[in-house]
Amino acid sequence: IDPNISPEKEKILRLNGCEILKVTERDETGGFLLNRLRAVKDYLALNQNCYTTNQYENPNNYLSYYYTLGEEICNSFSSLDYAFVSVSTGGTITGLSHRLKERFKNIAVIGVDVEGSLIFSDKPAIRRISGMGSSIRTKFFDQAYIDDHVVLSQREIIGGCHELLAEHNLFLGGSSGAAYAAATRILKKARKKSCNAIFISPDSGNSYIDTIYNDEWVAKNIPN
């Protein structure tokens, strides 16, 4: 893990008896991901009876979404015009884009990222919100059917989370708030009288109580 993990997630890991290896040195992109992956590789080399699911390369990442969430969405809607999906490893958006475009030929799949991530940008920056964005662009994205993308500031993502809670009584996390904020922006610009759109909400707000939902943390850690 790295310092961007929420305190709640780290506590849950420790309560479940996990041995924690925390990477605290930033890598050449300004983040921790590359050093975390190196730490995993080194650990595997020293401990032969270990296994990593490797979400950044394992094709079962995106296939799981194709066969599960993708199928659920297809069975729940007769038509869809937009799907907004926050990105990180690319597994969710790759699997969903394949399945949704099979069912809804004209659907626009929109990827949602955070400033400082290197998925849709080549300008790395320090990111404080965990759960979305990445310091690498996986090969999954080469297979994804993405029609457009939106890159949001961390403030916009936090604003999306708070709006979901205040306006819709939905207590959700950063990836959800980002997808909602992007959907709100794009759909307002589209100004269509009628369309069906979904945004994927993969995380609850429980893991973000001390970050996104903590005004003091936001004021200290998130630039205006």
Side-chain angles (χ1 to χ4, degrees):
I1 64 174
D2 63 54
N4 282 340
I5 192 172
S6 69
E8 292 83 2
K9 289 180 181 177
E10 183 172 349
K11 289 176 183 176
I12 289 172
L13 288 171
R14 294 186 185 280
L15 286 171
N16 278 282
C18 293
E19 178 183 341
I20 301 296
L21 174 60
K22 180 176 269 190
V23 174
T24 57
E25 182 179 348
R26 293 189 180 276
D27 56 41
E28 55 269 31
T29 70
F32 299 99
L33 174 59
L34 300 184
N35 283 344
R36 278 199 289 117
L37 293 177
R38 290 165 185 149
V40 170
K41 184 178 180 179
D42 291 343
Y43 190 89
L44 290 173
L46 294 172
N47 299 272
Q48 298 299 315
N49 191 30
C50 291
Y51 173 75
T52 175
T53 54
N54 193 0
Q55 62 177 329
Y56 297 95
E57 296 180 0
N58 189 337
N60 286 323
N61 182 343
Y62 68 84
L63 288 173
S64 66
Y65 293 102
Y66 177 92
Y67 287 110
T68 57
L69 181 57
E71 191 68 19
E72 179 183 352
I73 293 171
C74 289
N75 291 335
S76 300
F77 294 88
S78 58
S79 66
L80 275 178
D81 301 291
Y82 291 92
F84 296 88
V85 187
S86 293
V87 295
S88 182
T89 67
T92 306
I93 199 167
T94 299
L96 288 185
S97 67
H98 279 254
R99 185 65 187 96
L100 296 184
K101 284 183 177 287
E102 289 175 356
R103 175 69 173 82
F104 311 106
K105 300 301 182 183
N106 297 317
I107 190 173
V109 177
I110 313 297
V112 185
D113 202 6
V114 57
E115 288 180 351
S117 169
L118 298 180
I119 297 173
F120 298 118
S121 172
D122 59 358
K123 298 178 180 179
I126 293 176
R127 293 173 283 115
R128 302 291 188 185
I129 297 176
S130 63
M132 68 174 297
S134 180
S135 298
I136 59 175
R137 179 185 172 94
T138 70
K139 293 181 179 179
F140 299 151
F141 286 99
D142 297 333
Q143 305 175 55
Y145 299 132
I146 302 175
D147 297 281
D148 200 357
H149 68 269
V150 178
V151 178
L152 302 174
S153 70
Q154 294 179 93
R155 286 277 176 177
E156 288 176 306
I157 293 170
I158 292 170
C161 291
H162 283 272
E163 185 173 337
L164 279 170
L165 183 58
E167 301 295 330
H168 303 285
N169 200 32
L170 293 172
F171 182 47
L172 301 175
S175 296
S176 304
Y180 173 78
T184 301
R185 178 195 294 185
I186 296 296
L187 295 177
K188 283 182 177 179
K189 287 184 178 179
R191 295 184 177 180
K192 292 184 178 181
K193 291 184 178 180
S194 177
C195 74
N196 291 328
I198 60 170
F199 70 93
I200 305 303
S201 303
D203 48 0
S204 75
N206 293 343
S207 296
Y208 298 87
I209 292 175
D210 289 338
T211 55
I212 286 174
Y213 294 98
N214 183 329
D215 291 340
E216 291 183 4
W217 180 90
V218 171
K220 180 180 179 180
N221 292 281
I222 304 301
N224 290 315

